[in-house]
Amino acid sequence: MSDALLEVNHLKKYFPITAGLFNRTIGHIKAVDDISLSINRGETFGLVGESGSGKSTVGRTILRLHEKTGGQVLFKGIPIHELPKAEMRKLRPKMQLIFQDPYSSLNPRIRIGDAIGEALLDHGLAAKEEIRDLVLEVLEACGLSPYHYNRFPHEFSGGQRQRIGIARALVLNPDFIIADEPVSALDVSIQAQIINLFQQLQQTRGLTYLFISHDLSVVEHLCSRIGVMYLGTMMEMAPRDELFRTPLHPYTKALLSAIPVPIPKLKRERIVLKGDIPSPANPPAGCKFHTRCPYAVEQCKEQVPEFRHVGNDHYVACHLV
Ligand SMILES: Nc1ncnc2c1ncn2[C@@H]1O[C@H](COP(=O)(O)OP(=O)(O)OP(=O)(O)O)[C@@H](O)[C@H]1O
Ligand SMILES: [Mg+2]
Protein backbone atom coordinates (compact mmCIF):
# COMPACT_ATOMS: atom_id res chain seq x y z
CA MET A 1 0.00 0.00 0.00
CA SER A 2 1.23 3.48 -0.73
CA ASP A 3 1.93 5.89 2.09
CA ALA A 4 -0.10 8.68 0.49
CA LEU A 5 -2.16 10.84 2.84
CA LEU A 6 -3.63 12.71 -0.10
CA GLU A 7 -4.21 11.55 -3.65
CA VAL A 8 -5.53 13.83 -6.35
CA ASN A 9 -6.53 12.16 -9.60
CA HIS A 10 -7.36 14.12 -12.76
CA LEU A 11 -8.88 16.96 -10.75
CA LYS A 12 -10.79 19.59 -12.72
CA LYS A 13 -12.40 22.81 -11.61
CA TYR A 14 -14.17 24.95 -14.19
CA PHE A 15 -15.92 28.18 -13.27
CA PRO A 16 -18.86 29.10 -15.51
CA ILE A 17 -18.76 32.41 -17.37
CA THR A 18 -22.28 33.80 -17.53
CA ALA A 19 -23.80 36.64 -19.53
CA GLY A 20 -27.07 38.28 -20.39
CA LEU A 21 -30.32 38.74 -18.58
CA PHE A 22 -30.75 35.07 -17.76
CA ASN A 23 -27.17 34.46 -16.71
CA ARG A 24 -26.71 31.97 -19.49
CA THR A 25 -23.41 30.07 -19.31
CA ILE A 26 -21.37 31.11 -22.34
CA GLY A 27 -18.10 29.43 -21.47
CA HIS A 28 -15.86 28.19 -18.70
CA ILE A 29 -12.72 29.30 -16.98
CA LYS A 30 -10.65 26.15 -16.77
CA ALA A 31 -8.87 27.10 -13.56
CA VAL A 32 -7.79 23.53 -12.84
CA ASP A 33 -7.66 21.25 -15.83
CA ASP A 34 -6.68 17.67 -15.07
CA ILE A 35 -4.22 17.80 -12.19
CA SER A 36 -2.89 14.66 -10.51
CA LEU A 37 -0.55 14.48 -7.53
CA SER A 38 -0.09 12.58 -4.31
CA ILE A 39 1.40 13.65 -1.02
CA ASN A 40 2.88 11.20 1.46
CA ARG A 41 2.43 11.41 5.20
CA GLY A 42 4.87 13.85 6.75
CA GLU A 43 5.88 15.25 3.38
CA THR A 44 5.80 18.83 2.09
CA PHE A 45 4.71 19.18 -1.50
CA GLY A 46 5.34 22.55 -3.14
CA LEU A 47 3.02 23.90 -5.82
CA VAL A 48 4.39 26.81 -7.84
CA GLY A 49 3.35 28.82 -10.88
CA GLU A 50 2.61 32.37 -11.96
CA SER A 51 -0.36 34.35 -10.76
CA GLY A 52 -3.54 32.95 -12.27
CA SER A 53 -2.13 29.48 -12.94
CA GLY A 54 -4.75 27.91 -10.66
CA LYS A 55 -2.76 27.09 -7.52
CA SER A 56 -5.29 28.44 -5.02
CA THR A 57 -8.12 26.77 -6.89
CA VAL A 58 -6.31 23.43 -6.62
CA GLY A 59 -5.97 23.99 -2.86
CA ARG A 60 -9.56 25.05 -2.33
CA THR A 61 -10.94 22.22 -4.47
CA ILE A 62 -8.84 19.66 -2.60
CA LEU A 63 -10.41 20.91 0.63
CA ARG A 64 -13.84 20.91 -1.00
CA LEU A 65 -14.24 24.62 -0.45
CA HIS A 66 -15.09 24.43 -4.15
CA GLU A 67 -17.05 21.52 -5.54
CA LYS A 68 -15.00 19.75 -8.22
CA THR A 69 -15.91 19.65 -11.90
CA GLY A 70 -14.22 16.28 -12.40
CA GLY A 71 -11.66 13.86 -11.02
CA GLN A 72 -11.18 12.61 -7.49
CA VAL A 73 -9.63 13.67 -4.19
CA LEU A 74 -8.75 10.88 -1.75
CA PHE A 75 -7.84 11.88 1.80
CA LYS A 76 -6.68 8.82 3.75
CA GLY A 77 -8.30 6.83 0.96
CA ILE A 78 -11.68 8.56 1.43
CA PRO A 79 -13.14 10.23 -1.68
CA ILE A 80 -14.08 13.43 0.15
CA HIS A 81 -16.17 15.03 -2.60
CA GLU A 82 -18.50 12.05 -2.34
CA LEU A 83 -19.03 12.40 1.42
CA PRO A 84 -22.39 13.54 2.78
CA LYS A 85 -22.30 17.02 4.39
CA ALA A 86 -22.28 15.76 7.98
CA GLU A 87 -19.37 13.37 7.33
CA MET A 88 -17.47 16.13 5.56
CA ARG A 89 -17.95 18.42 8.53
CA LYS A 90 -16.44 15.84 10.84
CA LEU A 91 -13.42 15.56 8.58
CA ARG A 92 -12.88 19.34 8.18
CA PRO A 93 -10.67 19.87 11.27
CA LYS A 94 -8.20 17.31 9.89
CA MET A 95 -7.59 19.38 6.72
CA GLN A 96 -6.83 23.04 7.30
CA LEU A 97 -6.08 26.06 5.11
CA ILE A 98 -3.66 28.84 5.98
CA PHE A 99 -3.63 31.79 3.63
CA GLN A 100 -1.60 34.86 2.82
CA ASP A 101 -3.55 37.39 4.82
CA PRO A 102 -4.89 35.96 8.08
CA TYR A 103 -5.78 39.49 9.20
CA SER A 104 -8.69 39.67 6.77
CA SER A 105 -10.36 36.70 8.43
CA LEU A 106 -9.96 38.01 11.98
CA ASN A 107 -12.75 40.00 13.57
CA PRO A 108 -11.11 43.23 14.81
CA ARG A 109 -13.24 43.19 17.98
CA ILE A 110 -12.51 39.61 19.05
CA ARG A 111 -9.48 38.88 21.23
CA ILE A 112 -6.92 36.59 19.62
CA GLY A 113 -7.30 33.85 22.22
CA ASP A 114 -11.05 33.73 21.65
CA ALA A 115 -10.60 33.82 17.87
CA ILE A 116 -8.30 30.79 18.05
CA GLY A 117 -10.60 28.95 20.45
CA GLU A 118 -13.72 29.67 18.39
CA ALA A 119 -13.13 26.87 15.90
CA LEU A 120 -12.73 24.34 18.72
CA LEU A 121 -16.15 25.28 20.03
CA ASP A 122 -17.70 25.32 16.53
CA HIS A 123 -16.54 21.79 15.85
CA GLY A 124 -17.37 20.61 19.37
CA LEU A 125 -13.79 19.45 19.82
CA ALA A 126 -13.35 20.68 23.39
CA ALA A 127 -15.40 21.62 26.41
CA LYS A 128 -15.58 25.34 27.27
CA GLU A 129 -13.33 25.01 30.31
CA GLU A 130 -10.59 23.18 28.34
CA ILE A 131 -10.32 25.78 25.61
CA ARG A 132 -8.13 28.32 27.36
CA ASP A 133 -5.39 25.77 28.06
CA LEU A 134 -5.51 24.39 24.53
CA VAL A 135 -5.22 27.88 23.07
CA LEU A 136 -2.32 28.81 25.37
CA GLU A 137 -0.52 25.65 24.35
CA VAL A 138 -0.92 26.36 20.66
CA LEU A 139 0.09 30.04 21.11
CA GLU A 140 3.34 28.84 22.65
CA ALA A 141 3.90 26.26 19.90
CA CYS A 142 3.57 29.08 17.37
CA GLY A 143 6.08 31.33 19.11
CA LEU A 144 3.54 33.66 20.70
CA SER A 145 3.21 34.53 24.40
CA PRO A 146 0.42 33.93 26.92
CA TYR A 147 -0.19 37.70 27.19
CA HIS A 148 -1.11 37.74 23.50
CA TYR A 149 -4.31 35.87 24.40
CA ASN A 150 -6.17 39.05 25.30
CA ARG A 151 -4.82 41.24 22.51
CA PHE A 152 -6.74 42.37 19.44
CA PRO A 153 -5.70 41.67 15.81
CA HIS A 154 -4.48 45.22 15.09
CA GLU A 155 -1.90 44.93 17.88
CA PHE A 156 0.16 42.36 15.95
CA SER A 157 2.85 42.66 13.27
CA GLY A 158 2.56 40.86 9.93
CA GLY A 159 4.74 37.97 11.06
CA GLN A 160 2.80 37.60 14.31
CA ARG A 161 -0.47 37.62 12.40
CA GLN A 162 0.76 34.74 10.31
CA ARG A 163 1.63 32.91 13.55
CA ILE A 164 -1.96 33.51 14.63
CA GLY A 165 -3.17 32.08 11.31
CA ILE A 166 -1.07 28.99 11.92
CA ALA A 167 -2.27 28.71 15.52
CA ARG A 168 -5.89 28.84 14.40
CA ALA A 169 -5.33 25.91 12.07
CA LEU A 170 -3.17 23.98 14.52
CA VAL A 171 -5.54 24.14 17.46
CA LEU A 172 -7.86 21.75 15.58
CA ASN A 173 -5.09 19.15 15.54
CA PRO A 174 -5.04 18.66 11.75
CA ASP A 175 -3.12 16.01 9.82
CA PHE A 176 -2.92 18.01 6.62
CA ILE A 177 -2.40 21.73 6.05
CA ILE A 178 -2.59 23.66 2.81
CA ALA A 179 -0.57 26.85 3.13
CA ASP A 180 -1.48 29.24 0.31
CA GLU A 181 1.26 31.86 -0.12
CA PRO A 182 1.64 32.07 3.68
CA VAL A 183 4.83 34.15 3.57
CA SER A 184 4.35 36.14 0.37
CA ALA A 185 3.35 39.33 2.16
CA LEU A 186 6.25 39.22 4.65
CA ASP A 187 9.75 40.60 4.34
CA VAL A 188 12.58 38.15 3.84
CA SER A 189 13.83 37.85 7.44
CA ILE A 190 10.31 37.23 8.74
CA GLN A 191 9.67 34.79 5.90
CA ALA A 192 12.58 32.68 7.14
CA GLN A 193 11.18 32.65 10.69
CA ILE A 194 7.76 31.53 9.54
CA ILE A 195 9.23 28.86 7.27
CA ASN A 196 11.25 27.58 10.25
CA LEU A 197 8.07 27.47 12.28
CA PHE A 198 6.36 25.38 9.59
CA GLN A 199 9.31 22.97 9.68
CA GLN A 200 9.38 22.74 13.46
CA LEU A 201 5.66 22.04 13.65
CA GLN A 202 5.97 19.39 10.99
CA GLN A 203 8.60 17.57 13.04
CA THR A 204 6.83 17.81 16.38
CA ARG A 205 3.33 17.07 15.07
CA GLY A 206 3.93 14.90 12.02
CA LEU A 207 2.07 17.29 9.73
CA THR A 208 1.73 16.93 5.98
CA TYR A 209 1.78 20.13 3.91
CA LEU A 210 0.76 21.35 0.51
CA PHE A 211 2.72 24.57 0.26
CA ILE A 212 1.62 27.00 -2.46
CA SER A 213 3.85 29.80 -3.68
CA HIS A 214 4.62 31.76 -6.83
CA ASP A 215 8.22 31.90 -5.61
CA LEU A 216 10.44 28.88 -6.23
CA SER A 217 13.06 30.08 -3.77
CA VAL A 218 10.49 29.88 -0.95
CA VAL A 219 9.49 26.28 -1.65
CA GLU A 220 13.11 25.25 -2.14
CA HIS A 221 13.81 25.26 1.59
CA LEU A 222 10.70 23.49 2.65
CA CYS A 223 9.51 21.02 0.06
CA SER A 224 10.65 17.52 -0.74
CA ARG A 225 8.77 17.45 -4.03
CA ILE A 226 7.61 20.29 -6.25
CA GLY A 227 4.95 20.62 -8.93
CA VAL A 228 5.00 23.44 -11.49
CA MET A 229 1.63 24.62 -12.78
CA TYR A 230 0.76 26.69 -15.83
CA LEU A 231 -2.78 27.66 -16.89
CA GLY A 232 -4.44 24.98 -14.81
CA THR A 233 -2.12 22.18 -15.91
CA MET A 234 0.86 20.49 -14.26
CA MET A 235 3.88 21.04 -16.49
CA GLU A 236 6.55 19.34 -14.41
CA MET A 237 6.82 17.51 -11.11
CA ALA A 238 9.94 16.15 -9.42
CA PRO A 239 11.80 15.77 -6.13
CA ARG A 240 13.25 19.13 -5.12
CA ASP A 241 16.95 18.56 -5.84
CA GLU A 242 16.16 16.83 -9.11
CA LEU A 243 13.99 19.79 -10.21
CA PHE A 244 16.57 22.41 -9.28
CA ARG A 245 19.46 20.47 -10.80
CA THR A 246 17.83 19.21 -13.98
CA PRO A 247 14.71 21.19 -14.82
CA LEU A 248 13.32 19.86 -18.10
CA HIS A 249 10.35 22.05 -18.97
CA PRO A 250 11.13 25.44 -20.56
CA TYR A 251 8.59 27.03 -18.20
CA THR A 252 10.34 25.63 -15.12
CA LYS A 253 13.67 26.80 -16.53
CA ALA A 254 12.27 30.28 -16.96
CA LEU A 255 10.95 30.34 -13.38
CA LEU A 256 14.28 29.10 -12.05
CA SER A 257 16.24 31.63 -14.05
CA ALA A 258 14.24 34.40 -12.36
CA ILE A 259 15.58 33.49 -8.89
CA PRO A 260 18.30 35.97 -7.94
CA VAL A 261 21.73 34.34 -7.48
CA PRO A 262 23.68 35.33 -4.37
CA ILE A 263 27.06 35.47 -6.15
CA PRO A 264 26.94 37.69 -9.25
CA LYS A 265 29.87 35.84 -10.85
CA LEU A 266 27.68 32.76 -11.14
CA LYS A 267 25.23 34.73 -13.23
CA ARG A 268 22.97 32.50 -15.29
CA GLU A 269 21.19 33.38 -18.44
CA ARG A 270 17.82 34.86 -17.60
CA ILE A 271 15.00 33.45 -19.71
CA VAL A 272 12.40 36.17 -20.04
CA LEU A 273 9.02 34.89 -21.16
CA LYS A 274 7.26 36.94 -23.80
CA GLY A 275 3.70 38.08 -23.27
CA ASP A 276 1.23 37.49 -20.49
CA ILE A 277 -0.31 34.28 -19.30
CA PRO A 278 -3.27 33.62 -21.68
CA SER A 279 -6.83 33.51 -20.39
CA PRO A 280 -7.87 30.17 -18.87
CA ALA A 281 -11.25 30.75 -20.55
CA ASN A 282 -9.62 30.31 -23.91
CA PRO A 283 -6.33 28.45 -23.43
CA PRO A 284 -4.03 27.85 -26.43
CA ALA A 285 -4.44 24.56 -28.29
CA GLY A 286 -1.72 21.94 -28.13
CA CYS A 287 0.75 22.67 -25.35
CA LYS A 288 -0.79 25.52 -23.34
CA PHE A 289 2.65 27.04 -22.96
CA HIS A 290 3.54 27.15 -26.67
CA THR A 291 2.54 30.82 -27.15
CA ARG A 292 5.26 31.88 -24.70
CA CYS A 293 7.79 29.11 -25.19
CA PRO A 294 11.08 30.19 -26.82
CA TYR A 295 11.57 26.66 -28.19
CA ALA A 296 8.08 25.88 -29.52
CA VAL A 297 7.83 23.92 -32.79
CA GLU A 298 4.82 23.06 -34.98
CA GLN A 299 3.93 19.97 -32.96
CA CYS A 300 3.56 22.09 -29.80
CA LYS A 301 0.78 24.12 -31.41
CA GLU A 302 -1.25 21.08 -32.35
CA GLN A 303 -0.70 18.26 -29.92
CA VAL A 304 -1.19 18.23 -26.16
CA PRO A 305 1.99 16.79 -24.63
CA GLU A 306 1.53 13.79 -22.36
CA PHE A 307 2.52 14.21 -18.70
CA ARG A 308 5.01 11.39 -18.55
CA HIS A 309 7.53 9.81 -16.22
CA VAL A 310 11.14 10.29 -17.31
CA GLY A 311 12.82 8.48 -14.38
CA ASN A 312 13.87 9.56 -10.86
CA ASP A 313 10.26 10.29 -9.92
CA HIS A 314 10.43 13.13 -12.46
CA TYR A 315 7.40 13.92 -14.65
CA VAL A 316 7.16 16.41 -17.47
CA ALA A 317 4.66 17.49 -20.14
CA CYS A 318 6.78 18.69 -23.08
CA HIS A 319 7.26 17.47 -26.65
CA LEU A 320 10.87 18.60 -26.69
CA VAL A 321 12.11 16.51 -23.76
N1 LIG B 1 -14.44 31.83 -7.63
C1 LIG B 1 -14.01 32.02 -8.88
N2 LIG B 1 -14.87 32.30 -9.88
C2 LIG B 1 -14.45 32.48 -11.14
N3 LIG B 1 -13.16 32.40 -11.52
C3 LIG B 1 -12.24 32.12 -10.58
C4 LIG B 1 -12.61 31.94 -9.21
N4 LIG B 1 -11.47 31.69 -8.49
C5 LIG B 1 -10.46 31.72 -9.37
N5 LIG B 1 -10.90 31.98 -10.62
C6 LIG B 1 -10.08 32.09 -11.85
O1 LIG B 1 -9.34 30.89 -11.96
C7 LIG B 1 -8.01 31.16 -12.42
C8 LIG B 1 -7.01 30.62 -11.41
O2 LIG B 1 -7.07 31.40 -10.23
P1 LIG B 1 -6.27 31.06 -8.90
O3 LIG B 1 -6.65 32.05 -7.89
O4 LIG B 1 -6.47 29.62 -8.57
O5 LIG B 1 -4.76 31.27 -9.36
P2 LIG B 1 -3.44 31.35 -8.47
O6 LIG B 1 -2.43 30.50 -9.17
O7 LIG B 1 -3.75 31.02 -7.07
O8 LIG B 1 -3.01 32.87 -8.61
P3 LIG B 1 -2.29 33.84 -7.54
O9 LIG B 1 -0.83 33.48 -7.58
O10 LIG B 1 -2.56 35.20 -8.09
O11 LIG B 1 -2.93 33.60 -6.21
C9 LIG B 1 -7.93 32.67 -12.61
O12 LIG B 1 -8.14 32.94 -13.97
C10 LIG B 1 -9.06 33.21 -11.77
O13 LIG B 1 -9.56 34.39 -12.32
MG1 LIG C 1 -3.60 32.11 -5.30
Side-chain angles (χ1 to χ4, degrees), residues 4-56:
L5 181 76
L6 182 86
E7 258 182 84
V8 176
N9 299 318
H10 303 290
L11 188 67
K12 291 183 184 166
K13 178 65 196 175
Y14 298 172
F15 295 106
I17 307 169
T18 56
L21 207 53
F22 303 106
N23 275 332
R24 217 160 39 87
T25 301
I26 54 161
H28 287 95
I29 294 175
K30 297 181 173 176
V32 176
D33 200 9
D34 199 348
I35 292 276
S36 299
L37 56 92
S38 76
I39 309 180
N40 291 334
R41 278 170 207 275
E43 188 189 26
T44 303
F45 187 97
L47 193 58
V48 296
E50 277 167 296
S51 183
S53 56
K55 307 177 297 294
S56 299

Side-chain angles (χ1 to χ4, degrees), residues 33 57 67 70 84 94 98 110 118 120 133 153 167 196 202 222 229 275 296 313:
D33 200 9
T57 308
E67 292 299 332
K94 291 291 161 203
I98 293 171
I110 294 188
E118 211 172 34
L120 276 173
D133 285 346
N196 284 342
Q202 180 163 51
L222 203 62
M229 265 184 90
D313 200 18

Side-chain angles (χ1 to χ4, degrees), residues 73-297:
V73 178
L74 298 172
F75 178 67
K76 299 181 181 176
I78 304 166
I80 63 163
H81 282 257
E82 272 67 65
L83 285 179
K85 281 232 161 73
E87 295 289 314
M88 188 63 217
R89 203 178 140 68
K90 262 193 256 165
L91 200 66
R92 284 241 170 261
K94 291 291 161 203
M95 328 172 70
Q96 287 295 303
L97 177 65
I98 293 171
F99 36 97
Q100 181 173 347
D101 177 18
Y103 191 59
S104 63
S105 71
L106 290 167
N107 183 329
R109 284 180 292 271
I110 294 188
R111 293 177 199 278
I112 286 306
D114 296 330
I116 295 171
E118 211 172 34
L120 276 173
L121 269 184
D122 281 355
H123 285 282
L125 291 176
K128 246 191 173 135
E129 58 278 10
E130 297 170 327
I131 287 181
R132 194 179 167 84
D133 285 346
L134 289 169
V135 171
L136 286 172
E137 186 204 330
V138 86
L139 279 176
E140 193 194 341
C142 293
L144 294 161
S145 303
Y147 65 82
H148 287 133
Y149 192 103
N150 288 317
R151 298 261 169 106
F152 291 97
H154 72 267
E155 296 176 77
F156 292 87
S157 68
Q160 285 174 326
R161 280 174 196 161
Q162 197 47 277
R163 290 176 193 273
I164 295 167
I166 297 169
R168 269 185 117 182
L170 211 62
V171 78
L172 297 174
N173 198 20
D175 296 319
F176 176 56
I177 290 181
I178 296 186
D180 189 354
E181 307 267 9
V183 299
S184 302
L186 306 173
D187 57 51
V188 176
S189 62
I190 309 290
Q191 276 189 358
Q193 290 176 12
I194 299 294
I195 286 173
N196 284 342
L197 176 62
F198 272 106
Q199 271 171 330
Q200 253 173 40
L201 293 171
Q202 180 163 51
Q203 279 155 16
T204 51
R205 299 180 182 232
L207 294 167
T208 305
Y209 295 136
L210 173 62
F211 199 93
I212 296 173
S213 178
H214 62 274
D215 186 347
L216 263 168
S217 56
V218 167
V219 297
E220 182 182 2
H221 297 289
L222 203 62
C223 302
S224 46
R225 278 186 309 135
I226 296 170
V228 180
M229 265 184 90
Y230 184 79
L231 264 187
T233 306
M234 197 73 94
M235 291 293 169
E236 185 162 10
M237 184 165 80
R240 178 206 30 211
D241 292 345
E242 167 82 12
L243 190 84
F244 276 79
R245 234 180 281 133
T246 39
L248 296 175
H249 201 288
Y251 181 57
T252 313
K253 290 181 188 170
L255 289 182
L256 281 170
S257 81
I259 300 177
V261 239
I263 309 161
K265 251 197 297 187
L266 290 176
K267 218 170 179 179
R268 293 162 306 199
E269 192 194 345
R270 171 94 196 258
I271 306 170
V272 181
L273 295 176
K274 41 185 181 174
D276 287 326
I277 190 165
S279 160
N282 189 17
C287 171
K288 286 181 178 174
F289 185 58
H290 86 257
T291 54
R292 296 173 74 200
C293 181
Y295 313 106
V297 295

